[in-house]
Amino acid sequence: MEAEDPSERRFVITFGCPDRVGIVARIASFLAELGGWIVEAAYHTDPDTGWFFTRQEVRADSLPYDVEELRSLFSPVAASLGAGSDADGGVEGSQWRIADTGDRRRMVLLVSKEGHCLYDLLGRVAGGELNVDVPAVIGNHESLGGITEAFGIDFHHVPFPKDADGKAAAFERVRAIVDEHDPDAIVLARFMQILPPELCQAWAGRAVNIHHSFLPSFVGARPYHQAHSRGVKLIGATCHYVTAELDAGPIIEQDVIRVDHSDTVADMVRRGRDIEKVVLARGLRWHLEHRVLVHAGRTVVF
Amino acid sequence: MEAEDPSERRFVITFGCPDRVGIVARIASFLAELGGWIVEAAYHTDPDTGWFFTRQEVRADSLPYDVEELRSLFSPVAASLGAGSDADGGVEGSQWRIADTGDRRRMVLLVSKEGHCLYDLLGRVAGGELNVDVPAVIGNHESLGGITEAFGIDFHHVPFPKDADGKAAAFERVRAIVDEHDPDAIVLARFMQILPPELCQAWAGRAVNIHHSFLPSFVGARPYHQAHSRGVKLIGATCHYVTAELDAGPIIEQDVIRVDHSDTVADMVRRGRDIEKVVLARGLRWHLEHRVLVHAGRTVVF
Amino acid sequence: MEAEDPSERRFVITFGCPDRVGIVARIASFLAELGGWIVEAAYHTDPDTGWFFTRQEVRADSLPYDVEELRSLFSPVAASLGAGSDADGGVEGSQWRIADTGDRRRMVLLVSKEGHCLYDLLGRVAGGELNVDVPAVIGNHESLGGITEAFGIDFHHVPFPKDADGKAAAFERVRAIVDEHDPDAIVLARFMQILPPELCQAWAGRAVNIHHSFLPSFVGARPYHQAHSRGVKLIGATCHYVTAELDAGPIIEQDVIRVDHSDTVADMVRRGRDIEKVVLARGLRWHLEHRVLVHAGRTVVF
Amino acid sequence: MEAEDPSERRFVITFGCPDRVGIVARIASFLAELGGWIVEAAYHTDPDTGWFFTRQEVRADSLPYDVEELRSLFSPVAASLGAGSDADGGVEGSQWRIADTGDRRRMVLLVSKEGHCLYDLLGRVAGGELNVDVPAVIGNHESLGGITEAFGIDFHHVPFPKDADGKAAAFERVRAIVDEHDPDAIVLARFMQILPPELCQAWAGRAVNIHHSFLPSFVGARPYHQAHSRGVKLIGATCHYVTAELDAGPIIEQDVIRVDHSDTVADMVRRGRDIEKVVLARGLRWHLEHRVLVHAGRTVVF
């Protein structure tokens, strides 16, 4: 929706490199000389790592270039500042990207039986709030197929057997379906299976999970049971990138909700859903808008 | 302040026993027959443990008894419902108490160098918000003595040597000063020493600590450093009863505040103070108002 | 869902009367004598109005009566305490009710073009979180018909002309559709029409609205524009009962979300939806669970 | 405290002008050419007004100039971008400033009887959290003199008679005491007198008030009574610049806390203090750090 008005089309530059004097001037001058109209700009220097980060949104109609041309022009600037491009296999955080918001983004959702995150995301897509295509939803149960198809989206049922071989085969099918669409985001929307390391690797920086606790508290299974047992007064949810270590990936967004002694585990499960939904939606939106940079296991969210 | 108007004086009954039919009726009828005017009543049944809890505030001027007489009258009612009194050494949660808000409560504060919780609590006492006497503040550094004395409160400087013997002797001095006042609350207001098991035992149910993280995340030392390193998006504070296991006692209150990538550890330390202060003050207030019941390692806060 | 396990069926007593000694004892003894097992009980006395309120949940299987019989038995108790029943046309707040959670509740939704509250509520119903039937959704635009029907629910398109006569006729059609189902809740889920006084009257205590501001700030049209213009740092939503005075009915629930100078009106509209959805869902749930008592223009939410 | 380490000394540039291509490049190049090391930079463009804002922190030890020299050098840059300096009497928002954090800031506090904001601010100053001198506290009652002097700060008791002439004379005394110190902030820390228009004018952009409601709800007197009467579910506080129109100045910060039906007005007054204190402290900190820019009656808080 947002990208339909041509004046709303943006080039989004994200950039990280070791901090030094003159980076802002170098990038800003590069854009000013081309006539680029910056509509949003954010900067951050991490004093611990000595790393500099920026994200800039430029009106596409203020530049006489397409995104490929802009990348070519920017490449020597980035190189002179010590930032490698994605294509160079630059190390995490020492990279740059230029995205064109006119390019449709795609996401694939992985679900199980709990439908609240799925409903919520599909509602946001249908209402135009999340400007992204959803070419496929994959479920390890059939139960969410009906509502998915009611939104006009293909649903793939991939059952997950308990045995290792069956599970590996199931993940191969999931991978095939996902990779066919080359999505910008693979969303584990309360998908109750742990991704194998090779998928964590293959989808690094694109696989987004919602965990139903305030990490690092209550890693792993049944976090609401753990929370109830400990007697905490707030429960939470965490949206994070998936990495090979369980529930330990870079955190994109978190939020909490107050509980008290009268809340049973079932109450926590029910009430926690409202936090899970909104935390996932916020984190996912920022990911899709290229607002999230990862460095040293933490995120910068511009 | 609150207790100065005689019509504001209350008897506060707290009570826990195994759940069964008729408990509410039994207690309410007991009070009604005496003419007791209930101004606040709360009930809770824990479906996991099958335990029943209640707290009732009765206008003292509606009953022709003092608190000792009321305790004598209530004792057989409690016994018939299976609740032992404190004096019986009843097990945790299976106890009852009747407090008289006309009795002045006392608290002793244990501090180190960080003064924000001390300032905050003394300000609340001075302003009449916390209706409690503070006969002593004990510091393992001298630095907070001046402000304590400016509020007209005795300050005891008890240095803590690094060696085990010296530390044990220091704790003996602390214990002597505290026990002399037989306080309703011993508050570890950012006291940076770990209480030895015998003090945890002696002060069970009265020693209240503020920990500067959202427990169970970041137990132990330097929780803001831990939080920064993990890249969480909210930091918190936890007010809990002190038990022998570090930072694992029953949680009375917690709260959080949002942080982002631009917050350094120093920023977290500074911003976290605002949460520490308010979480400690809330938890302490509830403790002093007999609103907190402990059962199975968790609290019921009425 | 909740009511499907027979042991989960409850009788819910709500009750209000002038405060005096012995009310709790009278009601609790009445239930205890019948063998009623209270699973949840809450009390409140309003010191300003001198009014007493209670809500009690009793296990239905602990009593040898159906709800009609229980009402008959309770009626003299209530009368002796000065509380009229709904059937007596008792004044607001001086009433009692006994509900049977085994009776299916029904709600009808009124919508316009904005679908986020509709999606959210239908998702909660489909997922079993809101235990209520939705026999009809009425829209003054067609656009939300498709998704409504995808959830298997009848959609009624009732266009609203601009002229007074046409609008009155449209409201007559809405009223006919609503009243046919005699719903427990009529939910204005971002319905952009102002109910005429006679419908406010006819649906008093059942019509629940979500207003997209933190009332009493920004009554009426375009509250996000008003909020942006004033430069507030938090925006909110309010769930309230509909009364004849616009946006002035008793408030059931409110919440807020932080905004800053970078949020445009469009950002506020988008971000505010997440608060509108959850505030409406919470308020509606409490209404359907008979947790909301109204007295003197304010609500008691047990 | 912060400014004591020379490497921590900063020049803080704040700047606003009509938006156009190249502003960021112009300012960044200016700094880069001098060798200025930017440690924090923030930008904002308001699409409604077409105005551009920035705030930049530069390490003082990266530049071979003092603040006066830097101002002289920057002046033609600012003029070329259409921004007037304060000295030019530039219109609100179309101004620039360069502050030196090595210059001690000063604030004067105006109080009445309620001490919680005073205690809180003095505690923050004493603890080194707020890096500012407090040369004077002025009270229209004597009651807060003792604690003020315990912190080593001069207290001036200026009684306010009820009659207009007496009140005008009292304000003249207040003005004389304040102006003698030429403070960076005049803080109305629950000062219960309304500033006359000429003082609002004289102290424009420096007089900071804390109002005990979530503005624009509950302007004027007794906001907690108003909130209780309306039955809101959250109460709040607002820190804003003082202007001639009561409680209508640009909002710097707001926050809220949840209340329910059991909270009396006295409870709201007590609980609201925790929000008032923290909202005032946050807003005041941002003001003193030159983070707040005002334009079109709203604030940009960097």
Side-chain angles (χ1 to χ4, degrees):
Chain A
M1 299 259 157
E2 294 138 39
E4 285 171 16
D5 175 356
S7 77
E8 294 291 309
R9 195 173 136 231
R10 308 276 185 251
F11 296 132
V12 181
I13 303 171
T14 50
F15 182 91
C17 72
D19 194 23
R20 66 184 206 198
V21 171
I23 305 174
V24 176
R26 186 82 180 85
I27 298 176
S29 298
F30 165 79
L31 288 170
E33 282 157 21
L34 302 180
W37 184 344
I38 302 170
V39 287
E40 191 179 325
Y43 299 88
H44 172 61
T45 303
D46 184 336
D48 295 331
T49 60
W51 221 261
F52 169 90
F53 306 90
T54 187
R55 177 184 183 277
Q56 315 225 2
E57 282 197 20
V58 182
R59 282 182 63 153
D61 63 1
S62 70
L63 292 171
Y65 305 107
D66 67 19
V67 69
E68 279 304 334
E69 293 164 329
L70 186 62
R71 285 175 191 143
S72 299
L73 291 164
F74 186 67
S75 184
V77 176
S80 74
L81 294 166
S85 78
D86 275 355
D88 300 338
V91 295
E92 175 192 74
S94 174
Q95 293 180 345
W96 61 273
R97 267 189 213 184
I98 303 180
D100 180 344
T101 65
D103 293 337
R104 290 292 295 176
R105 288 154 295 174
R106 290 173 305 283
M107 69 176 180
V108 172
L109 306 180
L110 275 53
V111 301
S112 182
K113 281 191 227 171
E114 283 262 23
H116 56 282
C117 287
L118 177 69
Y119 288 126
D120 184 73
L121 292 178
L122 296 187
R124 289 174 198 268
V125 173
E129 178 187 315
L130 268 181
N131 182 30
V132 61
D133 291 329
V134 186
V137 173
I138 303 171
N140 66 344
H141 285 87
E142 287 178 290
S143 49
L144 298 176
I147 189 67
T148 301
E149 287 161 1
F151 278 90
I153 295 169
D154 285 347
F155 183 83
H156 303 261
H157 177 213
V158 179
F160 270 66
K162 297 260 179 196
D163 64 294
D165 283 359
K167 197 170 276 194
F171 269 119
E172 276 310 301
R173 279 200 56 204
V174 168
R175 181 178 192 158
I177 298 165
V178 167
D179 287 352
E180 178 190 345
H181 300 289
D182 187 25
D184 300 275
I186 301 105
V187 184
L188 284 66
R190 296 298 308 274
F191 182 61
M192 304 306 283
Q193 303 288 333
I194 297 172
L195 288 198
E198 62 273 19
L199 281 188
C200 296
Q201 179 77 26
W203 296 340
R206 293 186 295 152
V208 172
N209 185 46
I210 181 74
H211 183 74
H212 38 313
S213 84
F214 182 70
L215 289 173
S217 288
F218 314 133
V219 164
R222 295 162 67 90
Y224 291 123
H225 287 77
Q226 297 182 54
H228 188 266
S229 170
R230 180 62 185 91
V232 293
K233 300 301 184 187
L234 299 162
I235 54 172
T238 303
C239 177
H240 64 95
Y241 287 114
V242 178
T243 57
E245 187 183 346
L246 184 63
D247 298 331
I251 294 170
I252 306 172
E253 171 64 338
Q254 304 187 288
D255 214 338
V256 295
I257 195 170
R258 191 161 280 273
V259 292
D260 66 26
H261 58 264
S262 70
D263 286 294
T264 63
V265 171
D267 291 329
M268 288 184 179
V269 167
R270 172 178 55 78
R271 299 188 53 210
R273 284 184 202 123
D274 283 345
I275 291 296
E276 296 166 33
K277 287 189 291 194
V278 78
V279 166
L280 175 56
R282 283 203 294 250
L284 184 57
R285 179 182 183 85
W286 296 336
H287 169 77
L288 291 170
E289 292 182 348
H290 314 286
R291 295 187 178 279
V292 189
L293 283 73
V294 175
H295 187 62
R298 301 197 299 265
T299 60
V300 172
V301 181
F302 281 130
Chain B
M1 301 259 157
E2 295 139 39
E4 286 170 15
D5 174 357
S7 76
E8 294 291 310
R9 198 176 133 227
R10 309 274 186 253
F11 296 133
V12 180
I13 303 170
T14 48
F15 182 92
C17 71
D19 195 22
R20 66 185 206 195
V21 170
I23 305 174
V24 177
R26 186 83 181 82
I27 297 176
S29 299
F30 164 79
L31 289 171
E33 282 157 22
L34 302 180
W37 184 344
I38 302 169
V39 288
E40 190 179 325
Y43 300 89
H44 172 59
T45 303
D46 183 337
D48 296 331
T49 60
W51 221 262
F52 170 91
F53 306 89
T54 187
R55 177 184 181 279
Q56 314 224 1
E57 282 196 21
V58 183
R59 280 181 64 153
D61 64 0
S62 71
L63 291 171
Y65 305 108
D66 67 19
V67 69
E68 279 304 333
E69 292 165 331
L70 186 62
R71 285 176 190 143
S72 297
L73 291 164
F74 186 66
S75 185
V77 176
S80 75
L81 293 167
S85 78
D86 274 354
D88 300 338
V91 294
E92 175 194 73
S94 174
Q95 294 180 346
W96 62 272
R97 267 190 212 182
I98 304 181
D100 181 344
T101 64
D103 295 337
R104 290 292 294 177
R105 290 155 292 175
R106 290 174 305 285
M107 69 177 181
V108 172
L109 306 181
L110 275 52
V111 301
S112 183
K113 281 191 227 169
E114 283 261 22
H116 56 284
C117 288
L118 176 71
Y119 288 126
D120 185 73
L121 292 178
L122 295 187
R124 290 174 197 268
V125 172
E129 179 188 315
L130 267 181
N131 182 29
V132 61
D133 291 330
V134 185
V137 172
I138 302 170
N140 67 343
H141 285 87
E142 288 178 288
S143 49
L144 299 176
I147 189 67
T148 301
E149 287 161 2
F151 278 92
I153 294 169
D154 285 347
F155 182 83
H156 304 260
H157 177 215
V158 179
F160 270 65
K162 298 261 179 194
D163 65 294
D165 283 359
K167 197 170 276 195
F171 269 119
E172 275 312 299
R173 279 198 58 201
V174 169
R175 180 177 193 160
I177 298 166
V178 167
D179 288 353
E180 178 190 346
H181 300 289
D182 188 27
D184 300 277
I186 301 105
V187 184
L188 285 66
R190 296 299 308 273
F191 183 61
M192 305 306 283
Q193 301 290 331
I194 297 171
L195 288 197
E198 61 274 17
L199 281 188
C200 296
Q201 178 76 25
W203 297 341
R206 292 186 294 153
V208 172
N209 185 47
I210 182 72
H211 183 74
H212 38 311
S213 84
F214 182 62
L215 291 174
S217 288
F218 313 133
V219 164
R222 295 163 65 93
Y224 291 123
H225 287 77
Q226 297 182 55
H228 187 266
S229 170
R230 181 62 185 92
V232 292
K233 299 301 184 186
L234 299 162
I235 54 172
T238 303
C239 176
H240 64 94
Y241 287 115
V242 177
T243 57
E245 188 183 345
L246 184 64
D247 297 332
I251 294 170
I252 306 172
E253 172 63 341
Q254 302 185 290
D255 214 337
V256 294
I257 196 171
R258 189 161 282 274
V259 291
D260 66 26
H261 58 263
S262 70
D263 286 295
T264 62
V265 172
D267 291 328
M268 289 184 178
V269 167
R270 173 177 55 79
R271 299 188 53 210
R273 284 185 202 122
D274 284 344
I275 291 296
E276 295 167 34
K277 288 189 290 192
V278 78
V279 165
L280 175 56
R282 283 203 295 251
L284 184 58
R285 179 182 184 86
W286 297 336
H287 170 77
L288 291 170
E289 293 182 347
H290 313 285
R291 295 187 177 279
V292 188
L293 284 72
V294 175
H295 188 61
R298 299 197 300 264
T299 60
V300 172
V301 181
F302 282 129
Chain C
M1 300 261 156
E2 293 138 43
E4 285 172 16
D5 174 355
S7 78
E8 294 291 310
R9 196 176 135 227
R10 308 277 186 251
F11 296 134
V12 181
I13 303 171
T14 48
F15 182 91
C17 71
D19 194 22
R20 66 185 206 196
V21 171
I23 306 174
V24 177
R26 185 84 181 82
I27 298 176
S29 299
F30 165 79
L31 288 170
E33 281 157 22
L34 302 180
W37 185 343
I38 301 169
V39 288
E40 190 180 326
Y43 299 89
H44 172 60
T45 303
D46 183 337
D48 295 331
T49 60
W51 221 261
F52 170 90
F53 306 88
T54 187
R55 176 184 182 278
Q56 315 225 3
E57 282 197 20
V58 182
R59 283 182 62 154
D61 63 1
S62 71
L63 291 171
Y65 306 108
D66 66 18
V67 69
E68 279 303 335
E69 291 164 331
L70 186 62
R71 285 175 189 144
S72 297
L73 290 164
F74 186 67
S75 184
V77 176
S80 75
L81 293 167
S85 77
D86 275 355
D88 300 338
V91 294
E92 176 194 72
S94 173
Q95 294 182 347
W96 61 274
R97 268 189 212 184
I98 304 181
D100 181 344
T101 65
D103 293 338
R104 292 293 294 177
R105 289 155 293 174
R106 290 173 305 284
M107 69 176 180
V108 173
L109 306 181
L110 275 53
V111 301
S112 182
K113 282 190 226 172
E114 282 263 23
H116 57 283
C117 287
L118 176 71
Y119 288 126
D120 184 73
L121 292 177
L122 296 186
R124 290 173 198 268
V125 172
E129 179 189 314
L130 266 182
N131 183 28
V132 61
D133 291 329
V134 185
V137 172
I138 302 170
N140 67 343
H141 285 88
E142 288 178 288
S143 49
L144 299 175
I147 189 66
T148 301
E149 286 161 3
F151 279 91
I153 294 170
D154 286 347
F155 182 83
H156 303 262
H157 176 213
V158 179
F160 270 66
K162 297 262 178 192
D163 64 295
D165 283 359
K167 196 169 276 195
F171 268 120
E172 274 312 300
R173 279 199 57 203
V174 169
R175 180 176 192 161
I177 298 165
V178 168
D179 288 352
E180 178 190 345
H181 300 289
D182 188 25
D184 300 275
I186 300 105
V187 183
L188 283 67
R190 296 298 310 273
F191 183 60
M192 304 306 284
Q193 301 289 333
I194 297 171
L195 287 199
E198 61 273 18
L199 280 188
C200 296
Q201 177 77 25
W203 297 340
R206 294 186 293 151
V208 172
N209 186 46
I210 181 73
H211 182 74
H212 39 311
S213 84
F214 182 70
L215 290 173
S217 287
F218 313 133
V219 164
R222 297 162 66 92
Y224 291 123
H225 287 77
Q226 296 182 54
H228 187 267
S229 169
R230 180 62 184 93
V232 292
K233 299 302 183 185
L234 300 161
I235 54 172
T238 303
C239 176
H240 65 94
Y241 287 115
V242 178
T243 57
E245 188 183 345
L246 183 65
D247 297 331
I251 294 169
I252 305 172
E253 172 63 339
Q254 302 186 289
D255 215 338
V256 294
I257 195 171
R258 191 161 280 273
V259 291
D260 68 24
H261 58 264
S262 70
D263 286 295
T264 62
V265 171
D267 292 328
M268 289 184 177
V269 167
R270 171 176 57 77
R271 300 188 53 210
R273 285 185 202 121
D274 284 345
I275 292 295
E276 295 167 33
K277 288 189 289 194
V278 79
V279 165
L280 175 57
R282 284 204 295 251
L284 185 57
R285 179 182 184 86
W286 296 337
H287 170 77
L288 291 170
E289 292 183 347
H290 313 288
R291 294 186 178 279
V292 189
L293 284 73
V294 175
H295 188 61
R298 302 197 298 264
T299 60
V300 173
V301 180
F302 282 129
Chain D
M1 301 259 156
E2 293 139 40
E4 286 171 15
D5 174 356
S7 77
E8 295 291 310
R9 196 175 135 229
R10 309 276 186 251
F11 297 132
V12 181
I13 303 171
T14 49
F15 181 93
C17 71
D19 194 22
R20 66 184 206 196
V21 170
I23 306 174
V24 176
R26 186 83 181 82
I27 298 176
S29 299
F30 165 79
L31 289 169
E33 281 157 22
L34 302 181
W37 185 342
I38 301 170
V39 287
E40 191 180 325
Y43 300 88
H44 172 61
T45 303
D46 183 335
D48 296 331
T49 60
W51 220 261
F52 169 90
F53 306 89
T54 187
R55 176 185 181 279
Q56 315 224 3
E57 281 196 21
V58 182
R59 282 181 63 155
D61 63 1
S62 71
L63 291 172
Y65 306 107
D66 65 19
V67 67
E68 279 304 333
E69 292 165 331
L70 186 61
R71 284 175 191 144
S72 296
L73 290 164
F74 186 67
S75 184
V77 177
S80 75
L81 294 167
S85 78
D86 276 356
D88 301 339
V91 295
E92 174 193 76
S94 173
Q95 295 181 345
W96 61 272
R97 267 190 212 183
I98 304 180
D100 180 344
T101 66
D103 294 336
R104 292 292 295 176
R105 289 154 293 174
R106 290 174 306 282
M107 70 176 179
V108 172
L109 306 180
L110 275 52
V111 301
S112 182
K113 281 191 226 171
E114 284 262 22
H116 57 283
C117 287
L118 176 70
Y119 289 126
D120 185 73
L121 292 179
L122 296 187
R124 290 174 197 267
V125 172
E129 179 188 316
L130 267 181
N131 182 29
V132 62
D133 292 328
V134 185
V137 172
I138 303 170
N140 66 343
H141 285 88
E142 286 178 289
S143 49
L144 299 175
I147 190 66
T148 300
E149 286 161 2
F151 277 92
I153 294 169
D154 286 345
F155 182 83
H156 303 262
H157 176 215
V158 179
F160 270 65
K162 298 263 178 191
D163 64 293
D165 282 359
K167 197 169 276 195
F171 268 120
E172 275 310 301
R173 279 199 57 202
V174 168
R175 180 176 193 161
I177 299 165
V178 168
D179 287 352
E180 178 189 346
H181 300 289
D182 189 24
D184 300 276
I186 301 106
V187 184
L188 284 65
R190 295 299 308 274
F191 183 60
M192 304 306 283
Q193 302 290 332
I194 297 171
L195 287 197
E198 62 273 18
L199 282 188
C200 296
Q201 177 77 22
W203 297 340
R206 294 186 294 152
V208 172
N209 185 47
I210 181 71
H211 183 74
H212 38 310
S213 85
F214 181 64
L215 290 174
S217 288
F218 313 133
V219 164
R222 295 161 67 92
Y224 291 123
H225 287 78
Q226 296 182 54
H228 188 266
S229 169
R230 180 63 186 91
V232 292
K233 299 301 184 187
L234 300 162
I235 54 172
T238 303
C239 177
H240 64 95
Y241 287 114
V242 178
T243 57
E245 188 183 347
L246 184 64
D247 297 331
I251 294 171
I252 305 172
E253 172 63 339
Q254 302 186 290
D255 213 338
V256 294
I257 195 171
R258 189 161 282 273
V259 292
D260 67 24
H261 58 263
S262 71
D263 286 295
T264 61
V265 171
D267 292 328
M268 289 184 177
V269 167
R270 172 177 56 78
R271 301 186 54 211
R273 284 185 203 122
D274 284 346
I275 292 296
E276 295 166 35
K277 287 189 290 194
V278 78
V279 165
L280 175 56
R282 284 203 294 251
L284 184 57
R285 180 183 183 84
W286 297 336
H287 170 76
L288 290 171
E289 292 182 349
H290 313 287
R291 295 187 176 279
V292 188
L293 284 72
V294 175
H295 188 60
R298 301 195 300 263
T299 60
V300 172
V301 181
F302 282 128

